[in-house]
Amino acid sequence: MSTAPALDPAHTALLVMDYQPAILALLPEGDSEALLGRMEKVIADVRAKGGAIAYVRVGFTEADWAAIPPTNRSFAPIAQHRLMHHADRDTAVHERLAPQDGDIIVRKVRHGGLSTTDLDQRLREHGITTLIIAGISTSGVVLSTVLDAADRDYRLYVLADGVADPDPEVHDVLLHQVFPSRAHILEAAELHTLLRAD
């Protein structure tokens, strides 16, 4: 059981990051189905308790592709092959986790959820000081966002069974050796008990 402190939903946001068909396709099918099922319940729970839901998705316009230099090892191939166009259905948030009115939704063009978006500003405008982080992949959006959000002084929780990576070994190292110095690690089943409504 987690020893993490309780969460005040009024100041908490669940970040649902890169839960897009094109990215879920990188995982084994059974894994993605299980993830979607857990995240449906987590989103509903956070909503019911009054927490904010923030969706982060990756997608590119022609201008975004043009702005990616060939030196960027992660994103230059995406630009070269014109992948992940922002209007493609495969880059939308998965329909099972579809945003609702009032949710925060941002589109990014690099790994992190904060670096190329106005997410930090929008969270602060909502009085958010605590983030619950879920996303795919652990070594991409989750790692980048955890490091950045920690530097911005958010209180962080990483949802261990709400993150996944095509490389299980890298996933385990990050979850058990890297993230704990910056975030509380918890599972979906524990989250319900930590969310308290004042």
Side-chain angles (χ1 to χ4, degrees):
M1 188 67 182
S2 173
T3 57
L7 291 147
D8 178 358
H11 299 288
T12 299
L14 170 65
L15 301 192
V16 182
M17 303 188 297
D18 294 8
Y19 268 87
Q20 301 161 257
I23 295 176
L24 282 156
L26 302 173
L27 304 174
E29 189 173 339
D31 290 358
S32 59
E33 281 299 307
L35 271 171
L36 287 167
R38 278 193 298 274
M39 287 308 297
E40 283 178 307
K41 292 175 183 169
V42 169
I43 291 168
D45 199 20
V46 173
R47 274 194 212 290
K49 295 288 180 74
I53 311 293
Y55 291 88
V56 177
R57 58 183 279 264
V58 60
F60 301 87
T61 63
E62 289 287 340
D64 295 329
W65 285 325
I68 297 172
T71 52
N72 188 316
R73 292 184 63 176
S74 295
F75 290 92
I78 291 172
Q80 179 184 354
H81 298 290
R82 299 295 193 260
L83 302 174
M84 300 291 290
H85 188 272
H86 73 100
D88 289 347
R89 290 183 65 183
D90 276 355
T91 65
V93 174
H94 194 282
E95 61 186 5
R96 287 175 60 182
L97 310 181
Q100 295 182 8
D101 289 344
D103 291 340
I104 297 170
I105 307 166
V106 298
R107 180 180 65 86
K108 65 187 177 77
V109 294
R110 294 295 186 272
H111 285 297
L114 300 165
S115 64
T116 62
T117 71
D118 64 351
L119 181 58
D120 181 52
Q121 176 187 337
R122 293 173 70 181
L123 291 169
R124 303 222 185 250
E125 287 170 356
H126 283 78
I128 301 300
T129 56
T130 299
L131 303 178
I132 305 163
I133 294 180
I136 308 160
S137 64
T138 316
S139 61
V141 67
V142 177
L143 173 61
S144 292
T145 305
V146 165
L147 296 177
D148 196 350
D151 282 351
R152 295 175 194 243
D153 299 324
Y154 284 98
R155 177 197 257 177
L156 299 176
Y157 294 74
V158 173
L159 199 59
D161 50 356
V163 300
D165 197 277
D167 186 328
E169 189 174 340
V170 169
H171 170 82
D172 286 342
V173 168
L174 290 169
L175 205 55
H176 301 294
Q177 297 183 40
V178 177
F179 294 160
S181 67
R182 293 169 176 88
H184 300 284
I185 311 299
L186 77 164
E187 296 192 356
E190 300 169 65
L191 181 58
H192 179 82
T193 60
L194 290 178
L195 283 166
R196 58 177 175 79
D198 289 333

